[in-house]
Amino acid sequence: MSSTTSPLKNSATAAAISTSSSEVSLPAAMANSHPPHPNLKQVPPHHRPLASVSNGADFDTSNSSEVRRYLRTYGLTPPNTESYEIQAKRCLSQLALKAAPIEKYLYLSNLRNNNVHLFYRLVMDHMKDLTPLIYTPVVGEACLKWSEIYQQPEGLYISYADRGNIASVLQNWPQPKVEITVVTDGSRILGLGDLGINGMGIPVGKLALYTGCAGIHPDHTLPLTLDLGTNNKSLWGDPLYMGSRRAKVTPEEEQEFLDELMTALSEKWPGIVIQFEDFKNPFPALARYRDTFTCFNDDIQGTGSVVLAGVINAVKRTGIPVKDQRAVFMGAGSAGVGVARQIVEFFIKEGLTEDEARRCFWLVDTKGLVTNDRGDQLADHKVYFSRDDNDGKQIKTLSEVVEYVKPTILMGLSTIGGIFDEHILTRMGEMNELPIIFPLSNPSSKSECTFEEAMRHTGGRALFASGSPFPTLEYNGKSYCPGQGNNMYVFPGIGLGAILSKAVNITQEMIYASAVSLSTSLTPEEVKLGWLYPDINRIRDVSVIVARGVIRMAQEQGLDRELMLRDLSDAELDRYIESRMYNPKAQKGLVEHELSAMSPKTNGVGHHL
């Protein structure tokens, strides 16, 4: 269940696990109110790795006898040298024998841990079919059952008891080079709530997509889960739960812990890209670290980017100018506000003032329309979109808000499954020739409506995108393909672009550039079909386009440290990006080339037996 071979497997480093359960007080520098300062000058000059061979054992049955001897795996696999086609046939047959999605997830996880290159070849060749099993929606079930299905080390766990000693814990990670980490505290996993350390499935799955979609080498990724306690008391009483049984630390304690973590990560791996994921309150960490470290939050920025790309294309389809667009958001949490802010930026670039753009949005939470005079204390992130033009009227239900606003855009980030009911969808169809309907909550059970419901209740006219996948629909003699506003369209390219440009920070302008790049990545045929997003099977091509947009914006802002990329044309930059992407189909050839280069010394490689 890791994006690379099991990190502690076949590694002498595994024997050197240090214990750090004793509480150590933080250095005085950690206790101040300012974010830590990484040493940005320590980033090494650009070097391309000589080979991309995984550090873990390579048990690929397509390896020749000579390669197996060289890798010291001769005799550890059956003797026949197989083609990839035979390997794939066996894997897909075994996968088909698994009845439940979680069983398929576990099979693929074990394949990734034991034959990483074969796993990623399968992913590349069957992207649309396998990504739902690797990440959403099945990863949600995996997280719910993580302590129950645990089989082997999966990434790195750092607990609150390790404070003052985080740098030592990082030393136990067996891979010497890390380019990107996904870090979570498990406090808000998808739409499932506080799952504590069971949330490790998210960094593991996310980094598998970084590799499969953007070619970041699996050995250069770090799944990281912070055990800062949990307020989910059902986990305290679960004998199988593998995290600490204590309440979640205070925000002040978490900030001190994160200060130490961010410094330790950047000192061990200068220039590392840090992606925050599934924190209950993601805003403080993003605000504190975004100008100091190369980091971003996918829940806020990645979700906002991918949805914005779909909105850009959908607004073009409707022909309605942005000044006349009215967007109702069901869900006013961090993801909802993050998405809305991204779209505000688009509206501003289309000619509106910031205030005009902001007033195109109506946010709805569990208490109804978010207004200044509702009588409750609004969370800080909701204030920006709070309405002051409701004339004292408090509107309690989504249905009433739809009638009040008459929206052209209906967004769902509420995790309330089915809240876009038949009446609301029908009204959207009656009020708009091409209603924009985006139920974005994950997993599928939390989606505000299904693709079929949206299409049937709008007469097949909805411009639709969801967070989870839905099947193609046959309706009124036509076949409709649903759009999926999946973050995997953007976050792999954002990470890749930041890595290759050696960006000092990941700015909002770079996030916006990723959305614009995604919106332009459709082929003429996909545009003709009315799609809002490109074919997911082209995701590696899309990631190149997104990475290029991120790199160009980093250059424009003077935040890039790989200066030689500035002289490349877009076509040359695309070729460079492609050349730097891990390609599992090329790994066998790399080993054979390495062996061939050593042939004068290894003609008699029998001594490796």
Side-chain angles (χ1 to χ4, degrees), residues 410-425:
L410 182 62
M411 291 278 175
L413 297 106
S414 66
T415 70
I416 303 175
I419 195 167
F420 294 174
D421 58 23
E422 179 177 352
H423 172 73
I424 289 173
L425 294 171

Side-chain angles (χ1 to χ4, degrees), residues 130-270:
L130 294 187
T131 49
L133 300 174
I134 297 168
Y135 200 59
T136 55
V138 182
V139 74
E141 183 180 0
C143 287
L144 288 170
K145 299 178 178 178
W146 192 262
S147 291
E148 177 185 342
I149 64 177
Y150 179 87
Q151 296 179 346
Q152 57 194 319
E154 302 290 341
L156 197 64
Y157 298 86
I158 303 179
S159 71
Y160 188 64
D162 296 321
R163 64 194 187 280
N165 199 35
I166 291 176
S168 296
V169 180
L170 293 180
Q171 294 300 324
N172 290 328
W173 186 248
Q175 307 296 356
K177 179 179 181 180
V178 173
E179 294 179 318
I180 188 167
T181 182
V182 173
V183 56
T184 186
D185 68 350
S187 59
R188 198 213 64 183
I189 297 298
L190 301 174
L192 304 172
D194 183 353
L195 300 185
I197 63 93
N198 290 344
M200 176 58 95
I202 297 298
V204 166
K206 208 87 174 186
L207 287 166
L209 295 182
Y210 270 108
T211 298
C213 301
I216 297 174
H217 197 285
D219 283 349
H220 301 163
T221 66
L222 170 61
L224 181 54
T225 292
L226 310 178
D227 184 6
L228 303 180
T230 173
N231 291 330
N232 184 347
K233 293 187 178 180
S234 67
L235 296 177
W236 297 4
D238 181 356
L240 294 181
Y241 179 62
M242 302 178 77
S244 61
R245 290 169 171 79
R246 57 155 293 167
K248 180 75 185 298
V249 301
T250 67
E252 294 75 21
E253 290 170 329
E254 181 171 352
Q255 177 179 293
E256 289 184 349
F257 185 90
L258 289 176
D259 280 356
E260 182 183 355
L261 173 71
M262 298 295 283
T263 298
L265 283 168
S266 64
E267 288 182 350
K268 180 164 178 58
W269 296 293

Side-chain angles (χ1 to χ4, degrees), residues 142-424:
C143 287
L144 288 170
K145 299 178 178 178
W146 192 262
S147 291
E148 177 185 342
I149 64 177
Y150 179 87
Q151 296 179 346
Q152 57 194 319
E154 302 290 341
L156 197 64
Y157 298 86
I158 303 179
S159 71
Y160 188 64
D162 296 321
R163 64 194 187 280
N165 199 35
I166 291 176
S168 296
V169 180
L170 293 180
Q171 294 300 324
N172 290 328
W173 186 248
Q175 307 296 356
K177 179 179 181 180
V178 173
E179 294 179 318
I180 188 167
T181 182
V182 173
V183 56
T184 186
D185 68 350
S187 59
R188 198 213 64 183
I189 297 298
L190 301 174
L192 304 172
D194 183 353
L195 300 185
I197 63 93
N198 290 344
M200 176 58 95
I202 297 298
V204 166
K206 208 87 174 186
L207 287 166
L209 295 182
Y210 270 108
T211 298
C213 301
I216 297 174
H217 197 285
D219 283 349
H220 301 163
T221 66
L222 170 61
L224 181 54
T225 292
L226 310 178
D227 184 6
L228 303 180
T230 173
N231 291 330
N232 184 347
K233 293 187 178 180
S234 67
L235 296 177
W236 297 4
D238 181 356
L240 294 181
Y241 179 62
M242 302 178 77
S244 61
R245 290 169 171 79
R246 57 155 293 167
K248 180 75 185 298
V249 301
T250 67
E252 294 75 21
E253 290 170 329
E254 181 171 352
Q255 177 179 293
E256 289 184 349
F257 185 90
L258 289 176
D259 280 356
E260 182 183 355
L261 173 71
M262 298 295 283
T263 298
L265 283 168
S266 64
E267 288 182 350
K268 180 164 178 58
W269 296 293
I272 185 174
V273 175
I274 301 166
Q275 186 212 299
F276 296 106
E277 185 75 21
D278 286 353
F279 282 73
K280 184 176 182 180
N281 184 6
F283 294 101
L286 183 61
R288 185 170 180 80
Y289 304 121
R290 67 191 305 171
D291 295 330
T292 312
F293 298 89
T294 310
C295 65
F296 73 106
N297 185 295
D298 187 54
D299 300 309
I300 301 172
Q301 297 168 295
T303 301
S305 173
V306 75
V307 175
L308 173 57
V311 168
I312 290 172
N313 288 332
V315 167
K316 288 179 182 177
R317 287 277 308 280
T318 65
I320 299 173
V322 296
K323 67 180 181 64
D324 296 324
Q325 296 286 347
R326 298 177 302 281
V328 166
F329 276 59
M330 182 61 214
S334 59
V337 171
V339 168
R341 280 187 173 272
Q342 295 271 30
I343 302 173
V344 164
E345 188 172 353
F346 166 56
F347 284 7
I348 292 172
K349 291 183 184 297
E350 290 294 302
L352 301 189
T353 67
E354 182 177 1
D355 188 62
E356 289 170 341
R358 182 176 60 86
R359 289 182 175 277
C360 293
F361 295 80
W362 288 258
L363 270 58
V364 182
D365 61 15
T366 55
K367 297 179 181 179
L369 182 66
V370 177
T371 64
N372 288 352
D373 58 356
R374 197 168 66 176
D376 59 329
Q377 181 65 44
L378 294 178
D380 290 343
H381 64 273
K382 297 181 184 181
V383 172
Y384 182 80
F385 289 105
S386 181
R387 305 296 302 196
D388 62 0
D389 55 356
N390 55 311
D391 296 325
K393 183 179 181 181
Q394 305 306 321
I395 307 175
K396 298 296 185 181
T397 69
L398 176 61
S399 180
E400 291 172 334
V401 172
V402 168
E403 292 298 334
Y404 173 69
V405 176
K406 296 180 173 51
T408 57
I409 301 170
L410 182 62
M411 291 278 175
L413 297 106
S414 66
T415 70
I416 303 175
I419 195 167
F420 294 174
D421 58 23
E422 179 177 352
H423 172 73
I424 289 173

Side-chain angles (χ1 to χ4, degrees), residues 466-603:
S466 58
S468 289
F470 287 105
T472 298
L473 174 68
E474 298 295 328
Y475 177 69
N476 284 346
K478 290 183 64 177
S479 180
Y480 294 88
C481 183
Q484 186 185 356
N486 193 317
N487 291 24
M488 65 185 283
Y489 277 118
V490 292
F491 71 76
I494 293 171
L496 181 62
I499 290 169
L500 294 183
S501 66
K502 290 185 167 53
V504 175
N505 307 122
I506 298 176
T507 64
Q508 181 55 39
E509 289 78 10
M510 292 160 69
I511 299 295
Y512 188 86
S514 74
V516 174
S517 298
L518 173 59
S519 73
T520 64
S521 67
L522 281 73
T523 66
E525 180 62 24
E526 290 166 347
V527 172
K528 185 177 179 181
L529 290 171
W531 292 5
L532 302 181
Y533 294 100
D535 185 346
I536 201 68
N537 290 313
R538 295 198 304 109
I539 188 63
R540 285 175 74 98
D541 295 334
V542 172
S543 292
V544 170
I545 296 171
V546 171
R548 185 218 307 152
V550 170
I551 291 170
R552 291 303 193 208
M553 182 53 67
Q555 293 169 344
E556 183 177 324
Q557 295 186 286
L559 297 174
D560 59 317
R561 289 172 290 190
E562 192 59 282
L563 302 184
M564 67 93 166
L565 300 184
R566 295 183 178 184
D567 297 327
L568 302 182
S569 67
D570 284 353
E572 291 170 334
L573 182 55
D574 285 355
R575 288 194 294 271
Y576 173 81
I577 295 169
E578 291 167 357
S579 74
R580 292 298 311 278
M581 294 169 73
Y582 159 81
N583 182 358
K585 298 179 180 181
Q587 300 308 303
K588 179 182 174 183
L590 287 171
V591 181
E592 290 174 344
H593 177 74
E594 188 174 303
L595 179 59
S596 175
M598 299 173 64
S599 58
K601 301 177 182 180
T602 57
N603 281 334

